[in-house]
Amino acid sequence: AGEAPAAPSAPPLGVGLGGGGALPSQAARLYNPYEGLSGGVDAARLGSVRLPAQPEYLFVEEATVHRRSWSEQLQFCTGAGWLAGSALGGTVGLLGLGPQAGPQQPAAAAAAQAGKLRVNALLNRTLSHGRGFGNALGTIGLMYAGLDSTLHWASSERLSDTANSVSAAALTGALFRSASGPVSMAVGAAVGGGLACLALFGSQGLKQASR
């Protein structure tokens, strides 16, 4: 009697599945999209990469805006003024450069004070000066932000940013010192305009130096 025919063996991996009769070791190779990128970036080619000098925007409307809105200006100037004033006042109080509160004690009595009392007096003086300076500069920042936005709106953007900032700073100084008379107003306007000019020139210098 003849032997029964052997059952057909399973085809190797890839046969009949688009593998073209490939061997099992060559049939199912995974695709690696990052193949060939493990060598790193050639430093010699970095010089050909041109970085934009100005920010790039997705929409044209964003590129036409060159200044903060009135609410952003208000928050930034008020917060920056309060923080700067608090830091300055705290430093003045910490170093003992400001006016001392209360009657002055002789040196012998001051030396006899306990350490906790000295620390308490130092903290009180630091917080007192920091609060006063912070409130004053925060108020100045609030006034400057309001006047700057008002001038920008009233001039219908005909004034340049430099003229707008200097004018707003001068008006802020005059308004802040208005309770002390016209002479003090003139001094405040001169100080405010001068500080604005120094800030603008310093900003331009830093931009040119960073290029």
Side-chain angles (χ1 to χ4, degrees):
E3 297 180 355
S9 60
L13 185 62
V15 176
L17 299 175
L23 297 176
S25 60
Q26 300 176 354
R29 186 177 66 88
L30 296 177
Y31 172 68
N32 183 12
Y34 302 103
E35 185 178 2
L37 299 179
S38 60
V41 181
D42 188 5
R45 299 182 180 181
L46 293 178
S48 61
V49 178
R50 291 182 175 271
L51 298 177
Q54 299 293 333
E56 296 182 347
Y57 302 93
L58 295 177
F59 304 100
V60 181
E61 292 80 3
E62 297 178 353
T64 58
V65 178
H66 299 287
R67 57 179 288 123
R68 303 184 186 92
S69 63
W70 69 270
S71 59
E72 294 173 345
Q73 184 83 342
L74 189 70
Q75 296 175 17
F76 174 78
C77 293
T78 306
W82 185 84
L83 288 175
S86 299
L88 179 61
T91 304
V92 169
L94 184 63
L95 298 178
L97 302 177
Q100 302 294 331
Q104 297 292 333
Q105 296 181 356
Q113 284 184 347
K116 292 184 178 181
L117 294 178
R118 292 182 182 179
V119 172
N120 188 26
L122 179 63
L123 291 177
N124 290 336
R125 186 170 63 247
T126 301
L127 294 177
S128 176
H129 286 83
R131 182 173 60 252
F133 277 73
N135 291 339
L137 290 186
T139 303
I140 291 176
L142 177 66
M143 295 166 59
Y144 170 79
L147 290 172
D148 182 66
S149 299
T150 302
L151 288 176
H152 182 73
W153 170 78
S155 62
S156 299
E157 301 183 3
R158 287 191 297 268
L159 284 178
S160 63
D161 291 339
T162 301
N164 199 88
S165 299
V166 173
S167 301
L171 289 176
T172 300
L175 185 61
F176 185 75
R177 301 296 300 173
S178 59
S180 301
V183 177
S184 184
M185 289 179 60
V187 173
V191 171
L195 290 177
C197 291
L198 288 177
L200 291 173
F201 289 150
S203 176
Q204 294 294 332
L206 290 177
K207 289 181 180 180
Q208 294 179 359
S210 61
R211 292 178 181 176

